[in-house]
Amino acid sequence: MKIYTYPKSRSLIVFWALEEMGAEYELIRVDLLSPNPRVVSPHPCGKVPFLTDGKVSVSETLAICIYLCEQHPDTCLYPTEPQDKASVNSWLSFALTDLEAPVWNLLKQMVFIPEGKRSPDMMSYFTHEAKNVISRINLNPTHSWIAGSSFTLADIFVSHSLQWAKLCGIEMHEEIDDYITRAMSRPAFLRAQEKNNH
């Protein structure tokens, strides 16, 4: 199994899932920003992450993660019981739509657009939207993790987007901040982060 990646990219999510599973994989760094790349991603648009597993190729982070979970059904990252899976899917949908949209747009303004070209109005709008979405996250006190008693794929996606929000300077209430810290203190995350940053 090969994962095409680039440092400090969204590939972190895939590595995190793989490390939680204890799966074996080969990391292939692509020359994503080079005008004359020596190594390119097989993704039709040259994007990362991209997975190849024998004759199977998978693009898009969530699709890759679900494929991996289906290949490793013995893990609890993606439950098979319908009610539990529905809860995980609901949080995944929330993470990739309501939560990630304003946070990612704010992050682009703050990190990828030169300071002199940033839009104060857009930054203000996306900051407001991100704060509004995060304020709607109510962690169930009877659950250890976002979707229940087990750490799942939903925790990887939700905590990853929340960490982006923190990087943008958005303050979290203590309960959410503790949740992020617990998720990102997991040994699998620390291993994934090290691999993603090199």
Side-chain angles (χ1 to χ4, degrees):
M1 183 186 303
K2 298 178 181 179
I3 307 293
Y4 292 82
T5 183
Y6 188 78
K8 298 183 179 180
S9 69
R10 203 183 300 254
S11 301
L12 172 61
I13 292 173
V14 173
F15 296 145
W16 191 353
L18 284 161
E19 292 296 331
E20 292 283 352
M21 297 172 190
E24 294 185 2
Y25 60 98
E26 180 183 355
L27 183 158
I28 300 177
R29 177 176 171 169
V30 304
D31 300 320
L32 193 65
L33 304 179
S34 172
N36 299 300
R38 292 184 300 106
V39 182
V40 297
S41 171
H43 188 289
C45 299
K47 292 168 40 177
V48 296
F50 189 82
L51 175 147
T52 59
D53 184 20
K55 295 182 179 180
V56 177
S57 296
V58 188
S59 61
E60 303 307 322
T61 307
L62 178 57
I64 292 172
C65 288
I66 290 177
Y67 172 81
L68 293 171
C69 289
E70 290 174 342
Q71 298 304 303
H72 297 83
D74 52 320
T75 71
C76 61
L77 284 183
Y78 196 62
T80 56
E81 199 281 321
Q83 184 174 346
D84 293 339
K85 182 182 284 189
S87 180
V88 169
N89 284 339
S90 294
W91 280 109
L92 287 170
S93 178
F94 170 82
L96 291 172
T97 53
D98 294 37
L99 180 58
E100 186 178 296
V103 172
W104 174 235
N105 279 291
L106 179 59
L107 192 67
K108 283 192 289 187
Q109 285 284 327
M110 298 181 70
V111 176
F112 300 108
I113 296 176
E115 188 172 354
K117 296 184 178 180
R118 294 172 190 166
S119 167
D121 287 342
M122 290 185 69
M123 291 180 67
S124 176
Y125 172 76
F126 289 127
T127 297
H128 173 78
E129 288 295 299
K131 287 180 176 179
N132 183 44
V133 171
I134 293 168
S135 72
R136 301 202 310 266
I137 299 176
N138 292 311
L139 301 177
N140 189 325
T142 66
H143 291 171
S144 301
W145 295 101
I146 199 84
S149 59
S150 298
F151 182 88
T152 68
L153 207 55
D155 293 292
I156 293 178
F157 278 80
V158 171
S159 65
H160 183 263
S161 288
L162 287 171
Q163 180 65 12
W164 274 0
K166 284 189 69 173
L167 291 173
C168 292
I170 295 177
E171 293 185 4
M172 313 281 171
H173 61 74
E174 186 176 352
E175 187 181 29
I176 296 291
D177 202 47
D178 175 68
Y179 167 71
I180 299 169
T181 300
R182 286 192 299 115
M184 297 194 169
S185 296
R186 294 174 68 86
F189 171 79
L190 298 175
R191 292 192 301 269
Q193 186 178 49
E194 183 177 0
K195 292 183 178 181
N196 190 54
N197 289 349
H198 293 287

